[in-house]
Amino acid sequence: MFGLLKNKISSFISRLSGKKEPDSSKQEDGKSGGKAEAQKLSEAEGQIPQQPLAPLMPPSSAGNAGASPANQPSPQAQESPQQPSASKPFPAAIQKEKGAPAQSQIHAKQKLAQESLPASEQKPSKDAKKDGKKAAIGAVGDEEKDFSRLEKKAQAETRSLSPKIGIGTAIKSFFSSEITISEAEISDLLDELELSLLEADVAYEVSEQVVSQLRSKLVGMKVPKGQIAQRTREAVADVLASVMESDRKFDFLAKVKSMNKPVKILFVGPNGAGKTTTMAKIAKMLLDAGLSVAFAAADTFRAAAIEQTEEHASRLGIKAIKSRYGADPASVAFDAINYARASKVDVVLIDSAGRQDTNTNLLSELSKINRVAKPDLKIYVGESIGGNAVIDQIKAFDAAIGMDGAILTKADCDAKGGTALSIAKATGIPVLFLGVGQGYSDLVPFDARKIANEIMN
């Protein structure tokens, strides 16, 4: 679980605590790359078709149709470019040297013609082009610069994560038992970490916050020699745990037990996320805690949704209140709540049809269920592998009816982990549980510190 995120952060720590030498290979690659680019630019500017010059024929006088062979150009003259006449010689700078290609003559002629033009019509020089590029770069806004910085790193064929420890730090550490980490030494590493977090589906604002907090913790930190990896690991774990925590976090079981009965819990989310199965897992948890439970099969749209709810109810030994397909889901929830009051059932779990956050009509229908049932808790159920789309969905549902918590399903097959890391900070909604399988017991509480330590280990 969360394998990609683990690998990215592990690489960050190992590089930071590894060999502290300047990465000369990167500098050499940059120089060679610059030379190659300049050479390509030069070739592109002066390139013209590689064709030999046609021979210059002498003007023929009137009635010269029967000229003698002596007046015809020789075969040698036809095979090579005609030399300029003595009356109008070309400048010495462009005279053809022995063995020089004809292409060099052409370049020299072009240069001479360019210099003879007025200054306003001359093409800008390479230095002028470079100056223009620098001026354009200077006009870019701060936000565009930031994206450009990450884009360049993302497009790089190889990424260097080696810290660049300065010569001053290296000398000081030789005479001391501690190493002080400076801003310059970890700047590139933090940029790489930010890009790695984005690749792992961490929300952009959350990745910025992680890097910012790490910079505050690491810069100026005095670390004993040989403990860089350990101290860095602890700092990263603290930051990850802090961004996964929400101020609205609560103990689910304790809260349910403390509420007036019957407690009404509404489950919402997109299609196929596993709402009905997750509802059954919650029912099993509540039953194990000594509470009685009833289902409201309020998903009257999806085919076999009612039958699925009835099957889970039968396996768990509880009652499922249902109606026909196409019935008003709010009325089904209302009937289930009345049954729970009459039968003294502790908790009513209300299922709902899957809906996308962009469908205004379905969100309006959800608002009606919220008005009629007046649920005590409203829980979003979505896939851990959904990426940043999950964050947009939670925000939309929260704006429509107000959300109290989130459950992420399919976390056992989430190779990235960025969604679970982002929800609390990006939406303010706490993650309550993670679904890690199909069994009723495959629902684990979301513990930010435990998950942070698991990622680091």
Side-chain angles (χ1 to χ4, degrees):
M1 188 168 67
F2 305 164
L4 178 60
L5 193 58
K6 292 179 183 179
N7 292 338
K8 297 292 186 181
I9 295 178
S10 176
S11 174
F12 168 77
I13 293 174
S14 63
R15 295 291 185 179
L16 180 62
S17 59
K19 191 174 182 181
K20 303 175 183 60
E21 293 181 356
D23 191 355
S24 58
S25 62
K26 182 178 179 181
Q27 298 175 2
E28 292 299 326
D29 291 344
K31 292 179 180 178
S32 60
K35 290 180 180 179
E37 184 177 359
Q39 184 177 359
K40 290 179 181 179
L41 180 62
S42 176
E43 292 177 356
E45 289 176 350
Q47 186 175 6
I48 63 173
Q50 303 289 332
Q51 296 179 357
L53 293 175
L56 299 176
M57 300 295 293
S60 57
S61 57
N64 198 27
S68 63
N71 295 329
Q72 301 279 347
S74 63
Q76 290 80 3
Q78 294 179 358
E79 293 176 0
S80 60
Q82 179 70 22
Q83 296 292 336
S85 62
S87 59
K88 295 183 179 180
F90 287 110
I94 62 170
Q95 288 183 0
K96 183 178 179 182
E97 299 178 0
K98 183 177 182 181
Q103 186 71 14
S104 62
Q105 269 193 311
I106 298 171
H107 289 170
K109 291 178 182 179
Q110 290 176 341
K111 182 177 180 181
L112 181 66
Q114 174 71 10
E115 292 175 351
S116 64
L117 292 173
S120 59
E121 299 182 11
Q122 292 185 11
K123 294 182 179 179
S125 64
K126 294 180 181 178
D127 293 337
K129 290 181 180 179
K130 291 180 181 178
D131 293 340
K133 289 180 181 178
K134 291 179 180 178
I137 293 174
V140 178
D142 293 339
E143 184 175 356
E144 293 181 355
K145 285 182 180 179
D146 189 51
F147 280 108
S148 176
R149 167 179 57 83
L150 294 177
E151 183 180 7
K152 288 179 181 179
K153 288 186 177 294
Q155 292 177 348
E157 295 181 0
T158 59
R159 300 178 188 169
S160 175
L161 288 177
S162 302
K164 296 176 175 58
I165 300 298
I167 185 64
T169 303
I171 294 175
K172 290 177 183 178
S173 66
F174 182 77
F175 296 100
S176 173
S177 60
E178 293 181 330
I179 294 177
T180 302
I181 302 176
S182 68
E183 168 75 22
E185 293 164 350
I186 65 169
S187 180
D188 287 345
L189 280 171
L190 291 176
D191 287 345
E192 289 292 343
L193 177 62
E194 183 177 358
L195 183 60
S196 298
L197 292 174
L198 293 174
E199 290 174 344
D201 280 348
V202 176
Y204 178 70
E205 61 268 28
V206 177
S207 66
E208 280 189 317
Q209 186 167 356
V210 169
V211 170
S212 176
Q213 291 186 22
L214 271 180
R215 180 177 282 107
S216 300
K217 280 182 172 290
L218 294 178
V219 173
M221 178 188 289
K222 294 183 178 181
V223 184
K225 291 181 178 178
Q227 296 186 18
I228 297 180
Q230 177 185 348
R231 294 294 184 87
T232 306
R233 193 179 302 276
E234 293 172 355
V236 175
D238 290 341
V239 171
L240 293 181
S242 69
V243 299
M244 285 188 284
E245 293 284 3
S246 171
D247 296 336
R248 298 167 57 183
K249 179 183 177 182
F250 60 91
D251 187 312
F252 178 77
L253 276 177
K255 191 174 184 67
V256 171
K257 289 181 178 180
S258 67
M259 288 179 167
N260 295 328
K261 307 301 186 289
V263 180
K264 305 173 288 292
I265 304 177
L266 174 64
F267 295 87
V268 302
N271 310 68
K275 288 186 301 301
T276 307
T277 302
T278 299
M279 184 178 72
K281 292 179 181 180
I282 292 292
K284 179 65 167 62
M285 179 189 303
L286 295 172
L287 290 171
D288 291 344
L291 299 172
S292 56
V293 182
F295 283 159
D299 183 356
T300 59
F301 176 77
R302 177 173 62 88
I306 297 175
E307 288 78 6
Q308 182 184 9
T309 304
E310 287 184 305
E311 179 62 27
H312 283 304
S314 175
R315 293 181 182 183
L316 294 169
I318 61 178
K319 180 71 174 179
I321 307 302
K322 65 176 183 177
S323 183
R324 60 179 176 79
Y325 284 105
D328 184 2
S331 66
V332 178
F334 183 79
D335 292 343
I337 294 169
N338 287 336
Y339 166 81
R341 286 175 180 157
S343 304
K344 297 190 182 306
V345 174
D346 295 322
V347 184
V348 179
L349 302 182
I350 306 171
D351 196 11
S352 67
R355 65 201 74 217
Q356 296 299 322
D357 56 293
T358 55
N359 193 316
T360 305
N361 293 332
L362 291 180
L363 288 182
S364 298
E365 181 185 78
L366 189 61
S367 298
K368 180 181 178 181
I369 299 174
N370 184 53
R371 290 194 307 270
V372 173
K374 295 181 175 60
D376 300 294
L377 292 174
K378 290 158 282 189
I379 298 177
Y380 167 88
V381 180
E383 296 177 334
S384 178
I385 56 178
N388 286 299
V390 172
I391 295 174
D392 294 335
Q393 291 167 4
I394 293 177
K395 289 180 178 179
F397 283 117
D398 188 39
I401 62 173
M403 303 306 302
D404 298 295
I407 297 176
L408 296 180
T409 63
K410 307 175 185 179
D412 52 323
C413 60
D414 185 1
K416 293 185 176 182
T419 304
L421 188 68
S422 303
I423 287 178
K425 281 299 176 187
T427 68
I429 306 299
V431 179
L432 303 177
F433 299 98
L434 294 177
V436 293
Q438 294 297 313
Y440 289 135
S441 61
D442 293 331
L443 192 68
V444 298
F446 185 85
D447 187 332
R449 173 57 63 177
K450 182 178 179 181
I451 291 176
N453 291 337
E454 181 181 346
I455 291 175
M456 300 315 303
N457 294 329

